[in-house]
Amino acid sequence: MLGKHQKPYEDFYHSTHENEHLDSKTELLVGLSAAMAMNCLPCTRYYLLQAGKAGITKGEISDVTAKVMAVAAGQKKLQMQEVLQKYSINLDDFE
């Protein structure tokens, strides 16, 4: 699929599981949040399955989901503010 780039990518990806500073639970929760934020369904599935094996709780998954949702909502709010400002659109004109 990626030819000569596949092996370097796989090596890099696998190296991200060998953390010096994050414990395995934190690494899985960070991976899950990144997968969700990037809308990667296979990655989200992978991290959810790994989280289940690692004993991560439903509450912890819920907290991660809420954080991803909050960041996404904040980004959309800023996107709207940028468009309104850039194009001099005043929402008060909308009745």
Side-chain angles (χ1 to χ4, degrees):
M1 178 161 85
L2 295 176
K4 69 178 182 177
H5 301 289
Q6 185 65 31
K7 176 82 168 97
Y9 167 76
E10 288 177 2
D11 291 345
F12 165 72
Y13 179 78
H14 292 296
S15 75
T16 67
H17 293 291
E18 301 164 4
N19 294 291
E20 182 179 342
H21 302 286
L22 298 178
D23 60 55
S24 61
K25 180 178 175 179
T26 302
E27 186 266 330
L28 289 171
L29 292 172
V30 169
L32 177 60
S33 62
M36 292 172 65
M38 296 304 298
N39 298 314
C40 182
L41 296 180
C43 296
T44 301
R45 177 184 180 273
Y46 168 81
Y47 281 108
L48 281 172
L49 293 174
Q50 294 303 310
K53 292 176 187 175
I56 291 173
T57 67
K58 181 179 177 180
E60 290 167 322
I61 299 295
S62 179
D63 285 350
V64 165
T65 302
K67 184 58 72 178
V68 172
M69 290 169 63
V71 171
Q75 188 274 330
K76 293 303 169 191
K77 180 180 178 229
L78 290 174
Q79 178 185 13
M80 179 60 84
Q81 289 172 337
E82 182 180 338
V83 168
L84 294 172
Q85 183 178 22
K86 181 176 182 174
Y87 297 104
S88 300
I89 298 170
N90 183 349
L91 285 181
D92 290 335
D93 295 339
F94 289 67
E95 294 293 329

